[in-house]
Amino acid sequence: MEFSSKLLENAVYEMSQLPGIGKRTALRLVLHLLKQPEERTELLAHALLKLKSEVNFCKNCHNISDTEVCEICANPKRDETLVCVVEDIRDVMAIENTSQYNGLYHVLGGKISPMEGVGPQDLNIASLVKKVRDGTIKELILALSSTMEGDTTNFYIYKQLEGLEVTTSTIARGISVGDELEYADEVTLGRSIINRVPFESSMKAN
Amino acid sequence: MEFSSKLLENAVYEMSQLPGIGKRTALRLVLHLLKQPEERTELLAHALLKLKSEVNFCKNCHNISDTEVCEICANPKRDETLVCVVEDIRDVMAIENTSQYNGLYHVLGGKISPMEGVGPQDLNIASLVKKVRDGTIKELILALSSTMEGDTTNFYIYKQLEGLEVTTSTIARGISVGDELEYADEVTLGRSIINRVPFESSMKAN
């Protein structure tokens, strides 16, 4: 792509560094900003800079928060003996959306992935083990995605907790509510048969 | 979507104001920036701000340019009697890519679109008419997209030029090179039959 302006080329290059944004999309976004009033660009740029420089993570669960301890951790109505371990804050938002969970969270900040150079020391695992050792947590729900990296991370955490008094569980895998059995992949369908639940408890959930 | 942080919510909101970027994508992009070193965000923000505040449009053709007159207009080898009228600078880049055009450009900056509140006075049409009136231009190629807005704009420009000594042409519409006839829409196929070209001249183009 040949640009008639270095300034434009530079802006497009930086925009195209974002994941899923190619050069063409980046050019479209940058030209859109050029057509908008100057405030739009300033608002965007300053919102990003402010977030990056002032962002704060809850010192308890590592969720993004404007306060030292996030609203969830600070809420006395939540069950502090139950902790759900998730990969990132999008998972917290997704679970909060269900209104089915009343415990706390622990945000790891990623998954162990040797391919991408992410080891256990890059994640918030040590602080999780320390929290468990301190003793208030009774159950830990490992809610990482069921990929190889997710499984590795689950297993690593499980190993770290050996000998400590805590129940570990993982979220149920199975056919999505509303999905047809015939289109489900066999691994998921197999798991949903092995981990079948009493009919009465499935009634209660609805 | 419920955010645990106002700073995050604000950054996601500003990002989602870009065309084609929804809230979920915006969140993904912002979280990506948060994981990257601080320079990434700064480079992006400053590139956008610098472009917006220092952007310059060629005083002749309104293409984005770092110099007062863009490289194309300043090139003495280009044919200044031939001007191609396009919607925006992406069209200039696309035509330049073909290496088949040796004239100059005139970037309108959009199309007449009453639905979006864009009238002739919002586009670089007056300066085009003035350029034609000044007399060096012999042929004007109207290369706007063949939508209702494009056709309206073409017609408006055509009307403005009435009585002036200039040939107006438009780019050929037809079946794309390599496309199968049976899958072409009938309007395009119809136009390509009406505007058929001598076989010898189609040989020359290859």
Side-chain angles (χ1 to χ4, degrees), chain A residues 26-129:
Chain A
L27 177 60
R28 189 165 53 83
L29 298 178
V30 169
L31 290 179
H32 171 85
L33 279 177
L34 267 184
K35 277 194 188 173
Q36 300 291 308
E38 186 149 357
E39 306 92 77
R40 273 261 70 83
T41 310
E42 280 174 6
L43 284 170
L44 172 63
H46 292 147
L48 292 178
L49 288 172
K50 201 169 153 69
L51 174 67
K52 186 69 190 175
S53 61
E54 296 180 19
V55 70
N56 177 55
F57 296 92
C58 171
K59 67 169 189 170
N60 186 34
C61 73
H62 307 287
N63 192 0
I64 296 177
S65 164
D66 293 340
T67 45
E68 205 185 350
V69 173
C70 77
E71 279 180 34
I72 297 174
C73 288
N75 188 342
K77 287 191 186 152
R78 310 224 25 160
D79 182 358
E80 57 172 10
T81 66
L82 183 61
V83 168
C84 183
V85 179
V86 293
E87 194 186 322
D88 80 7
I89 78 142
R90 277 178 290 177
D91 304 321
V92 173
M93 290 164 75
I95 297 176
E96 282 298 287
N97 252 341
T98 68
S99 316
Q100 299 284 330
Y101 182 65
N102 193 36
L104 305 183
Y105 294 92
H106 186 90
V107 180
L108 291 180
K111 287 173 293 193
I112 296 174
S113 169
M115 294 283 284
E116 290 171 30
V118 181
Q121 70 288 349
D122 301 316
L123 305 175
N124 301 316
I125 293 181
S127 60
L128 175 65
V129 175

Side-chain angles (χ1 to χ4, degrees), chain B residues 116-137:
Chain B
E116 290 171 31
V118 181
Q121 70 287 349
D122 301 315
L123 305 175
N124 301 316
I125 293 181
S127 61
L128 175 66
V129 175
K130 188 180 169 298
K131 265 201 282 189
V132 173
R133 195 163 278 146
D134 287 351
T136 38
I137 302 173

Side-chain angles (χ1 to χ4, degrees), chain A residues 2 4-6 8 14 19 27-30 32-34 36 40 51-52 64 66 89-90 93, chain B residues 2 4-6 8 14 19 27-30 32-34 36 40 51-52 64 66 89-90 93:
Chain A
E2 285 253 7
S4 56
S5 149
K6 276 271 164 226
L8 177 66
E14 290 301 337
L27 177 60
R28 189 165 53 83
L29 298 178
V30 169
H32 171 85
L33 279 177
L34 267 184
Q36 300 291 308
R40 273 261 70 83
L51 174 67
K52 186 69 190 175
I64 296 177
D66 293 340
I89 78 142
R90 277 178 290 177
M93 290 164 75
Chain B
E2 285 254 4
S4 56
S5 150
K6 276 271 162 226
L8 177 67
E14 291 301 337
L27 178 60
R28 189 164 54 83
L29 297 179
V30 169
H32 171 84
L33 279 177
L34 266 184
Q36 300 290 310
R40 272 262 74 80
L51 174 67
K52 186 69 189 177
I64 296 177
D66 293 339
I89 78 141
R90 277 177 291 178
M93 290 164 77

Side-chain angles (χ1 to χ4, degrees), chain B residues 64-104:
Chain B
I64 296 177
S65 164
D66 293 339
T67 44
E68 205 184 350
V69 173
C70 77
E71 280 179 31
I72 297 173
C73 288
N75 186 345
K77 287 190 185 151
R78 311 227 19 163
D79 181 358
E80 56 172 10
T81 67
L82 182 61
V83 169
C84 183
V85 179
V86 293
E87 194 186 323
D88 79 8
I89 78 141
R90 277 177 291 178
D91 303 322
V92 174
M93 290 164 77
I95 297 176
E96 282 298 288
N97 252 342
T98 68
S99 317
Q100 298 286 330
Y101 181 67
N102 192 37
L104 304 184

Side-chain angles (χ1 to χ4, degrees), chain B residues 162-183:
Chain B
E162 260 184 353
L164 295 176
E165 255 189 54
V166 67
T167 312
T168 46
S169 59
T170 178
I171 53 171
R173 308 288 175 181
I175 310 292
S176 294
V177 177
D179 261 15
E180 306 267 7
L181 258 60
E182 54 177 324
Y183 299 121

Side-chain angles (χ1 to χ4, degrees), chain A residues 119-181:
Chain A
Q121 70 288 349
D122 301 316
L123 305 175
N124 301 316
I125 293 181
S127 60
L128 175 65
V129 175
K130 187 179 169 300
K131 265 201 280 188
V132 174
R133 195 162 277 146
D134 287 351
T136 37
I137 302 172
K138 286 188 187 142
E139 183 178 349
L140 216 57
I141 306 172
L142 298 173
L144 303 178
S145 54
S146 59
T147 55
M148 193 156 75
E149 287 89 358
D151 289 344
T152 308
T153 314
N154 275 337
F155 191 69
Y156 181 86
I157 294 173
Y158 182 77
K159 276 289 184 194
Q160 294 287 308
L161 298 175
E162 260 184 354
L164 294 176
E165 256 189 53
V166 68
T167 312
T168 46
S169 60
T170 177
I171 54 169
R173 308 287 175 182
I175 310 292
S176 294
V177 177
D179 261 15
E180 307 266 7
L181 257 60

